[in-house]
Amino acid sequence: MRFRIYVLLISILSLYANHLFAQEVHSKEIVLLRDFLTEIETKHNVKFSYNDLLLKNKYVDTNINGVDLKKILDEISNQTNLNFEIIQDRYIIISEKTEKNSSNHICGFIYDSLTKEPIEEANITIYGNNKGISSNQNGFFKLQNLKDNDIIEITFVGYVTEFLNVKDILNKVCINVYLKHENTVLDEVLISDYLSGGIDKKSDGSVVISPQKLGSISGLVEPDVLQTIQLLPGINSPNETASDLFIRGGTPEQNLILFDGIKMYNSSHFFGMISAFNPYIINKVKIFKSGTSSEYGNHTSGVIDIETSKEIPTRIQGGFGANMTHFDAFLNVPLGKKIGITVSGRRSFTDFYKSTTFNRLSKKVFQNSVISKNQETETDSFEDTNDFYFFDVNSKITYNLSSKDVLTFNYLLVRNKLTYIFKTKDSDTYFTKDFLEIKNAGWRLKWDHKWSDNVVQNTSFYSSEYDFSYTYNGEFNFGQSFTQDALKSNLIKDFGFKTTIENKINDKTTFFTGYELVNNDVSYKIHRGAANSTTNIFYTIEDANNNNTHALFFNYGYNNRNKTIFNLGVRTNYFTLADKVYLAPRVYFQQQLFPKFSVKTSFEYKQQSIGQIIENHTSDFGLENQVWLLIDNKELPILRNNQYTLGFLYKSNGTIFDIDFYRKNSYGVTSFTRGTDGSVRSFFEGTGKVNGVDVLLKKSYTNYDTWINYSYSKSTYTFEEANNGQPFPGNFDITNSFLWAHNLKFGNFSFSLAWLLKTGTPYSPPRRIENNGTIVFGELNSRRLPAYHKIDVSSSYEFNFDKKKRWKGKVGISLLNIYDRTNILSRRYTNVSNGNSYSVQEMDNLSLGFTPNVVFRVFLK
């Protein structure tokens, strides 16, 4: 521990000393040319392009008369014997002065061969003598004083080196050079196109999804990020939703989901069926199943870190489109050369038009609820109104303060509203109204500062607010007036501060450290009441708590060109409500044993001070019966978890074989969570265990990818007071899951198909029912539902509206469950009274049947 403290202090003192030294140099009139050029770039809004060797050990006298840029450059040229050539107004190329004929020249633009985006800071040199320059922000370069037999070498980290013969392109119009990716030399990417284009595996063990690069995904008409994540082995949604993600047996509330640093407590629309994130403004989605970076805290399962782009566009970009549930639009606008803004919005049209797709989704969502029951029993005497809609809004402002500073501000709002009324048509005999609203809003202010080429500091302030509100009112007039009411509210207010420093010591070693403070203010209230002319019965349950989490974290990373990868992280968490400090170490290690074969292992230990419990007080409506609350380590224990993994990786010539064996142990588990609710009827504290294997086998051809995912997972819980103290399967335990997927890309046409087969979830069989209506169950979760299987298909076609290819279009179609298989997702039992006695009624929650969807989109590039 002392050694870590000494290292941290030395790093901080070094940064401070460098800062003081920089101040001392700049206080003089004679300064390093490189530093003076940086000041000119900021003051005059220009960008210099040069070879580092040209500026090595060069100093200039800054006592220059006048403020005109050209005069300043002329004076520097006289002092340093360098040429300054202004290209495209604000880009300036620096080269050596020479008396030779400068008419022999070449110029060009360098682009990424896949994205067609310009590559900045690519090295363009004359082969053999290291003379050259770097490309500017637009990928532009120009070389002069060339000989006919010179060879130009173009290099950039992560790309295949390109060689050009000068005699073939000398004195011609500027050429375009497209650099190809070279996966074997990338620092971060371990495997490109891990499943398909736009899905990569990183050297830290995470998987990154880039929605803008995705092709067709089976069953998806648009690149829904949370649905796409379910293609990865070890990630399941037993409820067939986008948001209820069970990552290696962990329950959804144990996942950490971030959107531009804003914590999401509700990540879906339409009660889980659609993710709450607009994919067209998302740059990348980073997913950790194990070996999580120490930067992430207060969760015990997976991490889903979603980021939008912070690049300022050079021109207006955007798009709009619609499918069978909602429409959306987004816009990227440059407000000058240093400021850019992104805005986007999505809204359902379900409150004024109910499509076939929406009706299929509604049938699944509202089954076994008051809404479906009323519709089943509705006669000519009753009528109902079901108004539901959702929308989300995102905005982001990016401001490049200088070449070393970037300021960004994000705002997010996600909202779902449902109003349901059921009443008699021609009288006030019977009237009920249910109103449910779910809102998640947040903002973040972030400052990125580059202390040097190797040291970067990121500092942010952020806030997240989750607001759940449900009210019920009923009025009944059968002889005498009778009223009922119910209420449930759940409010979370988060405010946080986070700062990190990343120091790239060399091309193999990185040191990362930071501090985070988060304030959680959580409250809930549950109320029920009933009244008539003589009786008034009601009760209220409510609670409010506040917790501060202080976290200090460190991470050491070593990567020897992906041959040896080692990440060691330590996080300390202090929860003020529990008044306890926890240590959370994380390790990820990978070693290449043979050129195409590697072994990997990881360990992590985590804690969580906020969670969900299931409440049954307002469950009559049949939707959303979870409540978020803070864990005080008294009535509810802090949730703890550790995970061990061991795996192997083989990759060669379009073939990938990736396998992980893992074990997870959970402590502080209670019987009022989604994993055990309904199985155990009393409140107990226990433990959880998951043993599993995740397997991926993929083969790629030129235009065709196919892969198989297989996951084995055995998730069990143990409570001493329940099931005779014996372990029993969790409610959402899926022992076997098998996915076979196919992606075909042919020109502008994309096609995707996947077949999913998995074990049914467990349930507890009823043994008998008592005279008072109590159901006595047999061994907990000792039986299983039939196997689940379906085939999903998607297809899309992209086209151009104009010759310049700025306006692009896309049409697509998806077909879920094309053979209309009726899958049972879960089963529970309730009692039914006939007036004299009770009987047991079986209630099954069914999957989506055959569900089509179509999309039409327009993009402005």
Side-chain angles (χ1 to χ4, degrees):
M1 180 60 73
R2 288 182 178 178
F3 175 75
R4 294 193 189 98
I5 295 173
Y6 292 153
V7 170
L8 179 61
L9 289 174
I10 290 171
S11 300
I12 294 173
L13 289 173
S14 298
L15 289 174
Y16 184 67
N18 288 337
H19 183 59
L20 290 179
F21 177 75
Q23 288 181 329
E24 181 181 350
V25 170
H26 281 279
S27 66
K28 300 178 180 179
E29 293 182 345
I30 306 298
V31 301
L32 275 170
L33 174 58
R34 188 192 307 274
D35 293 339
F36 190 41
L37 293 179
T38 300
E39 294 178 6
I40 295 174
E41 284 180 335
T42 303
K43 185 175 181 179
H44 294 275
N45 191 25
V46 295
K47 179 72 175 178
F48 291 100
S49 180
Y50 53 84
N51 188 308
D52 287 341
L53 295 176
L54 289 178
L55 272 61
K56 188 175 182 180
N57 297 325
K58 278 189 169 60
Y59 290 82
V60 292
D61 185 349
T62 61
N63 187 17
I64 299 173
N65 294 325
V67 295
D68 180 75
L69 176 62
K70 189 176 185 308
K71 290 183 179 180
I72 295 174
L73 295 180
D74 289 341
E75 180 62 29
I76 298 175
S77 178
N78 294 331
Q79 294 184 37
T80 61
N81 198 37
L82 294 175
N83 275 327
F84 293 84
E85 182 180 5
I86 300 177
I87 304 294
Q88 295 181 350
D89 294 334
R90 64 182 296 259
Y91 297 100
I92 303 173
I93 296 177
I94 304 176
S95 60
E96 282 185 325
K97 282 185 178 179
T98 177
E99 296 180 356
K100 296 180 181 179
N101 183 4
S102 62
S103 61
N104 287 348
H105 71 274
I106 64 169
C107 62
F109 294 87
I110 302 176
Y111 300 98
D112 183 301
S113 62
L114 293 178
T115 66
K116 304 301 186 290
E117 295 291 327
I119 298 177
E120 184 182 7
E121 301 296 336
N123 296 314
I124 304 97
T125 59
I126 301 173
Y127 186 71
N129 64 15
N130 291 326
K131 290 184 178 180
I133 60 171
S134 299
S135 59
N136 66 23
Q137 190 174 18
N138 291 336
F140 179 80
F141 72 95
K142 183 177 181 180
L143 283 176
Q144 296 179 327
N145 309 317
L146 299 173
K147 301 176 182 178
D148 289 351
N149 60 349
D150 281 342
I151 296 176
I152 304 303
E153 182 181 17
I154 303 176
T155 61
F156 191 70
V157 176
Y159 292 80
V160 177
T161 300
E162 187 78 18
F163 294 95
L164 304 175
N165 291 316
V166 168
K167 63 181 179 180
D168 296 332
I169 56 177
L170 193 63
N171 299 330
K172 292 184 178 180
V173 177
C174 292
I175 62 174
N176 294 331
V177 181
Y178 295 92
L179 297 186
K180 297 179 181 178
H181 287 265
E182 183 178 11
N183 299 327
T184 57
V185 298
L186 291 178
D187 289 334
E188 297 181 4
V189 177
L190 183 66
I191 303 175
S192 289
D193 301 342
Y194 182 62
L195 294 183
S196 65
I199 303 178
D200 304 322
K201 187 160 190 176
K202 298 293 186 176
S203 58
D204 58 3
S206 65
V207 174
V208 171
I209 297 174
S210 303
Q212 309 309 317
K213 300 178 183 179
L214 286 174
S216 291
I217 300 297
S218 57
L220 298 182
V221 73
E222 297 190 89
D224 188 300
V225 293
L226 297 185
Q227 294 279 13
T228 304
I229 288 171
Q230 298 175 35
L231 294 175
L232 300 173
I235 301 181
N236 255 306
S237 178
N239 287 330
E240 212 176 49
T241 61
S243 59
D244 281 348
L245 299 179
F246 289 70
I247 300 179
R248 290 186 170 175
T251 50
E253 72 275 6
Q254 297 171 6
N255 298 325
L256 176 63
I257 301 179
L258 300 173
F259 186 88
D260 273 338
I262 302 168
K263 184 170 182 179
M264 301 299 299
Y265 292 95
N266 173 56
S267 56
S268 68
H269 290 306
F270 204 1
F271 307 100
M273 301 308 298
I274 302 168
S275 74
F277 312 114
N278 189 335
Y280 299 105
I281 63 169
I282 293 174
N283 182 40
K284 64 179 180 179
V285 182
K286 195 170 190 177
I287 304 106
F288 283 96
K289 295 187 292 183
S290 62
T292 311
S293 169
S294 61
E295 179 182 2
Y296 303 103
N298 211 358
H299 70 285
T300 56
S301 192
V303 172
I304 302 170
D305 190 356
I306 304 170
E307 294 183 10
T308 59
S309 176
K310 65 179 181 180
E311 298 297 324
I312 297 176
T314 57
R315 58 188 180 185
I316 295 176
Q317 302 171 341
F320 61 90
N323 59 36
M324 300 292 283
T325 59
H326 63 272
F327 56 85
D328 78 280
F330 71 96
L331 198 63
N332 298 325
V333 181
L335 304 178
K337 297 179 180 180
K338 290 189 175 185
I339 303 178
I341 183 170
T342 299
V343 292
S344 75
R346 295 190 300 171
R347 193 193 189 281
S348 66
F349 44 75
T350 54
D351 48 338
F352 55 86
Y353 172 69
K354 294 178 172 54
S355 66
T356 301
T357 304
F358 174 75
N359 289 333
R360 298 293 175 91
L361 296 176
S362 296
K363 183 178 179 181
K364 177 188 180 299
V365 167
F366 297 128
Q367 62 181 310
N368 296 323
S369 69
V370 166
I371 295 176
S372 63
K373 292 175 182 177
N374 286 343
Q375 290 173 345
E376 291 172 0
T377 59
E378 188 174 337
T379 66
D380 293 338
S381 301
F382 291 88
E383 61 182 2
D384 69 343
T385 303
N386 184 357
D387 290 329
F388 169 78
Y389 73 93
F390 65 79
F391 70 87
D392 58 67
V393 177
N394 291 277
S395 63
K396 183 173 187 175
I397 299 176
T398 304
Y399 180 26
N400 290 341
L401 294 169
S402 68
S403 60
K404 295 184 178 182
D405 297 276
V406 179
L407 195 66
T408 57
F409 178 79
N410 304 81
Y411 176 75
L412 165 74
L413 174 62
V414 177
R415 179 168 285 175
N416 287 254
K417 282 189 176 183
L418 170 66
T419 302
Y420 178 71
I421 297 174
F422 186 72
K423 64 178 182 177
T424 49
K425 288 184 178 180
D426 301 320
S427 67
D428 58 355
T429 305
Y430 191 99
F431 176 88
T432 64
K433 179 180 179 180
D434 296 271
F435 175 78
L436 191 152
E437 181 178 12
I438 307 172
K439 183 183 78 171
N440 208 143
W443 58 265
R444 181 184 69 168
L445 179 64
K446 186 169 182 276
W447 172 40
D448 301 333
H449 178 68
K450 189 176 181 180
W451 291 98
S452 68
D453 290 341
N454 297 323
V455 180
V456 177
Q457 183 172 6
N458 300 321
T459 303
S460 60
F461 295 88
Y462 56 92
S463 173
S464 179
E465 181 177 322
Y466 168 81
D467 190 355
F468 178 97
S469 177
Y470 168 72
T471 58
Y472 162 78
N473 290 285
E475 298 179 7
F476 315 100
N477 295 286
F478 298 101
Q480 65 173 349
S481 177
F482 176 69
T483 62
Q484 285 184 332
D485 67 284
L487 177 147
K488 183 174 79 171
S489 64
N490 196 188
L491 181 63
I492 303 175
K493 292 183 178 181
D494 284 358
F495 179 79
F497 165 79
K498 182 177 182 180
T499 186
T500 64
I501 296 177
E502 183 177 18
N503 186 359
K504 191 173 183 179
I505 300 173
N506 52 51
D507 61 349
K508 298 178 183 178
T509 307
T510 303
F511 182 73
F512 182 84
T513 184
Y515 167 77
E516 184 175 23
L517 167 64
V518 182
N519 175 264
N520 306 114
D521 194 349
V522 183
S523 62
Y524 67 88
K525 181 178 181 180
I526 298 172
H527 166 82
R528 294 205 71 158
N532 56 27
S533 58
T534 60
T535 307
N536 189 1
I537 303 173
F538 70 92
Y539 67 86
T540 301
I541 303 171
E542 58 185 326
D543 191 24
N545 265 316
N546 185 278
N547 176 69
N548 288 323
T549 300
H550 299 268
L552 188 65
F553 49 90
F554 308 91
N555 202 84
Y556 168 82
Y558 176 84
N559 187 347
N560 181 16
R561 297 175 63 87
N562 288 337
K563 293 181 180 179
T564 301
I565 302 170
F566 179 65
N567 293 309
L568 173 64
V570 178
R571 183 183 180 95
T572 57
N573 296 308
Y574 172 58
F575 304 126
T576 58
L577 186 61
D579 193 22
K580 194 168 183 180
V581 177
Y582 294 89
L583 193 66
R586 294 98 186 267
V587 177
Y588 179 84
F589 174 73
Q590 181 170 314
Q591 178 63 51
Q592 186 182 93
L593 301 181
F594 306 102
K596 301 175 183 178
F597 182 82
S598 300
V599 62
K600 53 183 177 173
T601 185
S602 70
F603 167 78
E604 61 184 18
Y605 186 64
K606 302 176 180 179
Q607 304 86 27
Q608 185 169 334
S609 65
I610 186 171
Q612 278 185 334
I613 62 170
I614 304 298
E615 60 85 17
N616 296 311
H617 301 275
T618 60
S619 61
D620 297 351
F621 190 46
L623 297 169
E624 296 289 344
N625 63 334
Q626 299 92 22
V627 172
W628 286 98
L629 75 170
L630 285 172
I631 300 173
D632 58 7
N633 213 30
K634 297 172 184 176
E635 295 182 5
L636 291 174
I638 293 289
L639 188 61
R640 289 105 55 211
N641 174 282
N642 60 55
Q643 180 179 184
Y644 309 83
T645 70
L646 175 65
F648 305 94
L649 176 64
Y650 173 84
K651 54 175 182 173
S652 173
N653 299 325
T655 300
I656 298 172
F657 178 71
D658 192 2
I659 182 170
D660 274 335
F661 301 86
Y662 63 90
R663 168 174 287 185
K664 294 175 70 172
N665 299 299
S666 299
Y667 308 94
V669 177
T670 67
S671 56
F672 282 4
T673 63
R674 269 191 269 195
T676 61
D677 174 62
S679 302
V680 182
R681 298 308 175 105
S682 301
F683 179 82
F684 300 126
E685 179 185 344
T687 60
K689 180 183 293 186
V690 185
N691 292 317
V693 181
D694 291 341
V695 181
L696 168 68
L697 176 61
K698 180 201 170 187
K699 182 64 178 177
S700 295
Y701 301 92
T702 304
N703 298 315
Y704 170 66
D705 296 324
T706 182
W707 69 88
I708 292 174
N709 287 352
Y710 170 72
S711 294
Y712 168 84
S713 177
K714 186 177 181 181
S715 174
T716 59
Y717 293 94
T718 303
F719 300 100
E720 291 184 3
E721 300 91 341
N723 206 45
N724 297 318
Q726 297 300 310
F728 61 92
N731 290 346
F732 299 99
D733 174 61
I734 297 176
T735 309
N736 299 281
S737 179
F738 176 88
L739 174 74
W740 188 14
H742 309 264
N743 275 7
L744 175 65
K745 176 75 173 177
F746 187 76
N748 294 334
F749 173 81
S750 295
F751 176 81
S752 179
L753 179 147
W755 179 51
L756 176 62
L757 170 66
K758 57 186 180 181
T759 308
T761 56
Y763 67 96
S764 302
R767 183 177 296 170
R768 66 179 186 277
I769 187 167
E770 303 288 353
N771 293 332
N772 61 0
T774 301
I775 301 176
V776 179
F777 288 90
E779 189 175 348
L780 297 181
N781 286 346
S782 57
R783 293 186 184 175
R784 286 190 178 270
L785 297 170
Y788 174 107
H789 57 88
K790 66 171 183 173
I791 291 180
D792 298 333
V793 175
S794 294
S795 181
S796 65
Y797 179 76
E798 298 179 353
F799 55 92
N800 297 308
F801 285 103
D802 62 337
K803 293 182 179 180
K804 294 182 179 180
K805 299 182 179 180
R806 284 208 67 196
W807 289 95
K808 296 179 178 292
K810 176 183 176 181
V811 292
I813 184 172
S814 69
L815 304 174
L816 287 171
N817 195 0
I818 61 174
Y819 53 76
D820 202 21
R821 159 80 174 181
T822 299
N823 292 298
I824 305 175
L825 302 177
S826 62
R827 174 173 292 172
R828 63 187 180 93
Y829 295 90
T830 186
N831 57 25
V832 178
S833 173
N834 60 10
N836 299 318
S837 62
Y838 290 93
S839 61
V840 177
Q841 180 178 354
E842 182 179 273
M843 300 181 66
D844 288 340
N845 185 28
L846 304 180
S847 68
L848 275 171
F850 173 70
T851 305
N853 201 352
V854 295
V855 67
F856 174 75
R857 297 203 59 81
V858 175
F859 298 96
L860 173 62
K861 296 292 186 179

